[in-house]
Each structure stands twice: as structure tokens, then as C-alpha cells.
Amino acid sequence: QKEVEQDPGPLSVPEGAIVSLNCTYSNSAFQYFMWYRQYSRKGPELLMYTYSSGNKEDGRFTAQVDKSSKYISLFIRDSQPSDSATYLCAMSLTGNQFYFGTGTSLTVIP
Amino acid sequence: SQTIHQWPATLVQPVGSPLSLECTVEGTSNPNLYWYRQAAGRGLQLLFYSVGIGQISSEVPQNLSASRPQDRQFILSSKKLLLSDSGFYLCASWGLAGAETQYFGPGTRLLVL
């Protein structure tokens, strides 16, 4: 079983839609949870970072962590064409070694 | 501010040629440094990580090697490239500003022909 599972998509939504991206994981000891956005041919860019459980909001982005279900989500409100990218989830126990999902490709259609 | 530099951005090399990719970090000291390879649809594969000068851990057996000659410099090398070495190589750093997360450089796209 992989440490982190992420639906690869691709996901295609109209502009203004709410997007939900998800990852599941197997190791209940993970404490740090991250979402990265990666544009084509660029390095991943950190979007959201959460420690332990709960929600975190930053503008149009909300990250949720449900440790009891071993499930994390990223919600994008009022999606824009500029949100079209691949989204990677990542997790860590101690902050020293990181486990990544394979990424979900998102296209927002104007 | 913290910045990770990688160069070159793109590289086309013949099979059997040597390789040297460089990564430097600004704005922090004594970071953990990582080399990843990213293949389409397969996510990020950790190749090497380093917790300090001269300290290298390899995650997978391969045709590549890494070195850390200075605190904020990380080099990925190969003596003889294989076709299978083609990919997108990313350098990452952990420990920037104390944040418990990784930051990535812009990447190097390597094509071995």
C-alpha cells in the first residue's frame, strides 16, 4: 500500500466552480500536511501548510485535515483559469522526510 | 527571503556523457537538501537527501550520485548518462525560516538522447 494516495484526475471545471481535491494516507503518525501547486515545467509552489488536524483558510483556498479518517482536502472557491495546474499533496512525520501524492491535474475552463 | 536556485533550466545530453546539476540555497543556514526526479504521472521520486556538508543519503540505487561541498550547495552528478535518466530534476530545501515544510527550486529538465 502506498503511503499517500491521490486521484490523478484529470479534473476539468468551469470558471467559478468550487474544486475539491483529496488525498488519503496510511500512516497515522503523519503530523504535517501540505498542498503544492505546480504549473507545467515549473517547480512545485507551496500553497497551504497545516500542522495536525483542522482547517486552514487562505483567500480562496481552504485546507482540511481529518486525522481520524486519514484524509486531507483542498478546496478552491471561485476557481479561475489561472488555477489550472497540477496539485500535489504531501505529508511528513517529523519534517525531515516527505511523502508525496502523484498529483491531480486541474483545468479551469473560462 | 529564502530562494532556491537551480541550473541549468534545460539540458540535452547524449547517452554516455557526464552530468552536473547544481542547486544553491539563499536565506538560510544548515538546511536539509533534497534531490527529486519527477516523471509524468508518477509523482516525485526522492533520489538523495543531505542533512549537512559531506553527508549524503541515497534512497534508490541508480546511475546518479550527489555531493554537498558547502552548506548551501547541492550537486547531482553522473559519470555516464543513460536514456532512463531523462526527467525533471527538482532540488528542495527544508528548514527555511524554521517552517516544517519543503520549498522547491524551479527544476532542471534533462533530456538524454
Side-chain angles (χ1 to χ4, degrees):
Chain A
Q1 183 184 10
K2 284 185 181 179
E3 295 274 7
V4 181
E5 299 275 3
Q6 184 175 8
D7 186 340
L11 189 60
S12 184
V13 301
E15 183 175 354
I18 297 174
V19 176
S20 174
L21 304 169
N22 310 294
C23 287
T24 59
Y25 60 94
S26 57
N27 191 339
S28 58
F30 285 140
Q31 297 188 79
Y32 303 96
F33 304 91
M34 292 136 281
W35 285 96
Y36 291 86
R37 177 175 62 196
Q38 186 175 23
Y39 292 114
S40 180
R41 296 179 176 268
K42 302 291 184 184
E45 167 196 12
L46 180 67
L47 262 183
M48 301 286 285
Y49 160 72
T50 308
Y51 171 71
S52 194
S53 282
N55 295 357
K56 187 172 184 178
E57 188 173 322
D58 184 2
R60 297 185 294 109
F61 299 90
T62 300
Q64 287 186 351
V65 175
D66 183 347
K67 293 190 77 177
S68 61
S69 302
K70 291 187 265 185
Y71 188 88
I72 69 170
S73 301
L74 177 70
F75 296 97
I76 307 174
R77 291 184 299 280
D78 187 25
S79 55
Q80 303 295 310
S82 59
D83 295 327
S84 299
T86 296
Y87 290 80
L88 297 161
C89 64
M91 317 185 179
S92 176
L93 283 78
T94 62
N96 195 23
Q97 191 168 10
F98 295 81
Y99 300 85
F100 289 84
T102 52
T104 299
S105 175
L106 170 68
T107 300
V108 180
I109 302 168
Chain B
S1 61
Q2 299 83 26
T3 309
I4 301 174
H5 300 281
Q6 281 186 252
W7 63 91
T10 305
L11 191 60
V12 181
Q13 292 284 94
V15 170
S17 64
L19 173 74
S20 181
L21 302 182
E22 189 161 346
C23 169
T24 58
V25 179
E26 288 181 3
T28 187
S29 59
N30 198 32
N32 286 359
L33 297 175
Y34 306 78
W35 278 112
Y36 290 91
R37 178 166 55 205
Q38 188 177 34
R42 295 178 62 183
L44 291 165
Q45 179 189 27
L46 179 63
L47 302 176
F48 301 96
Y49 72 93
S50 171
V51 299
I53 295 173
Q55 300 179 66
I56 308 293
S57 296
S58 174
E59 289 296 305
V60 293
Q62 58 208 315
N63 183 43
L64 303 168
S65 62
S67 62
R68 186 168 177 176
Q70 299 181 44
D71 180 43
R72 289 174 285 178
Q73 184 185 27
F74 204 22
I75 298 172
L76 184 68
S77 304
S78 174
K79 292 182 179 178
K80 288 186 178 182
L81 283 168
L82 306 173
L83 286 174
S84 58
D85 291 324
S86 293
F88 190 45
Y89 289 84
L90 289 159
C91 179
S93 176
W94 174 70
L96 295 180
E100 303 292 342
T101 187
Q102 281 190 325
Y103 293 87
F104 287 85
T108 294
R109 189 161 300 278
L110 172 65
L111 180 60
V112 182
L113 300 175

